[in-house]
Amino acid sequence: YLASAPMAGNNDGGIYRSTDGGASWTKVWPQGAEEVSYDVVFDPNDPNVAVADTDAGTVVYSNDGGQTWQLVTSVLPAQSNIGYRVSLAFDPTVKHSVYALVDNAPWNGPSGQVYHSVDGGATWSLVADTSAFVNQDSGVTTGALCDESYVGGTLECQGGYDNVLAVVPQGGGTPPILITGGVDVFTSLDGGSTWKQIGSWWKNDSNYIHGDDHAISSDGQTVFVGNDGGMFQLASGDTWIAHNK
């Protein structure tokens, strides 16, 4: 599967599917419309279930292995303007459990809400509004995707550029650890009820990590974040090790 953005003057954006190992591709969503998708994610516990984002602040989901897709039309912000990106991640140990980090107000802010679905993306509930994310330096609620600790205190939201989400299982019936990346990094140890900033773009902070996160990965023990500054590994507590030369 391929997520694609349209080139100027055409309708090539959307989701494409290949059944011959990538030799040829068929557009499966949307049909005849210009749309953007950044993420196509399959449930590791059910290959028929998949979710993908749109540039309208919402999600599409599939129950037939990605052959057809349905648009989510409620709960998620579903903004009318383009550029409202959504990151998606399944809980690798719970079937049909998927989380979304939504760029709900990218230019005005605060922005960065977390939603949860227990039915493979068909329906969603809000687990963390922007007020749950408090900047450690200023004490201001910014959302998961913004920072206002820049010079002058201007709120900077970049969820259309840096927007990543990871779900790390804890086992034993305990809710998963959630990690969001934008300008800064936040984590929740209780499935999204409470949040703490564990990564700051300010070099003077003890939990410094370069800003603008684009990739995040975890094997359940170690967390890596890729950003504009390279590759960083989460060490003990909320300190980071840079793996860059």
Side-chain angles (χ1 to χ4, degrees):
Y1 286 82
L2 173 69
S4 172
M7 300 296 288
N10 63 39
N11 293 326
D12 290 340
I15 302 171
Y16 289 76
R17 179 173 185 259
S18 174
T19 58
D20 54 14
S24 61
W25 295 84
T26 301
K27 187 176 183 179
V28 291
W29 185 88
Q31 296 296 335
E34 180 178 309
E35 194 64 83
V36 175
S37 183
Y38 297 96
D39 277 338
V40 179
V41 185
F42 279 78
D43 188 341
N45 297 292
D46 186 348
N48 290 314
V49 172
V51 291
D53 74 320
T54 79
D55 66 351
T58 189
V59 169
V60 291
Y61 66 96
S62 173
N63 291 319
D64 57 10
Q67 297 181 65
T68 60
W69 298 82
Q70 302 295 321
L71 180 67
V72 175
T73 57
S74 63
V75 181
L76 295 176
Q79 306 292 336
S80 59
N81 297 322
I82 64 170
Y84 295 75
R85 185 175 171 184
V86 181
S87 289
L88 298 157
F90 277 95
D91 185 332
T93 61
V94 180
K95 188 176 182 180
H96 298 167
S97 176
V98 58
Y99 292 83
L101 172 58
V102 180
D103 186 19
N104 56 286
W107 294 285
N108 298 323
S111 189
Q113 300 171 320
V114 176
Y115 291 80
H116 183 214
S117 171
V118 296
D119 56 11
T123 61
W124 295 83
S125 60
L126 178 67
V127 296
D129 206 346
T130 55
S131 59
F133 303 90
V134 180
N135 185 278
Q136 66 182 32
D137 294 309
S138 67
V140 173
T141 56
T142 60
L145 296 170
C146 303
D147 185 293
E148 56 73 66
S149 57
Y150 291 86
V151 176
T154 301
L155 187 64
E156 181 80 12
C157 301
Q158 300 182 161
Y161 175 68
D162 41 39
N163 183 334
V164 291
L165 172 66
V167 180
V168 184
Q170 297 195 78
T174 303
I177 297 171
L178 305 179
I179 306 172
T180 65
V183 180
D184 301 307
V185 182
F186 289 86
T187 190
S188 171
L189 303 181
D190 52 17
S193 296
T194 60
W195 292 82
K196 175 187 176 182
Q197 185 177 344
I198 60 169
S200 170
W201 77 280
W202 275 110
K203 286 190 175 182
N204 291 334
D205 286 338
S206 61
N207 57 350
Y208 165 75
I209 178 175
H210 197 287
D212 303 338
D213 304 314
H214 304 292
I216 187 168
S217 179
S218 174
D219 62 0
Q221 301 295 324
T222 307
V223 176
F224 291 94
V225 172
N227 53 41
D228 283 1
M231 181 68 68
F232 289 78
Q233 177 186 344
L234 181 61
S236 59
D238 57 356
T239 59
W240 297 84
I241 301 170
H243 292 283
N244 311 305
K245 294 183 179 180

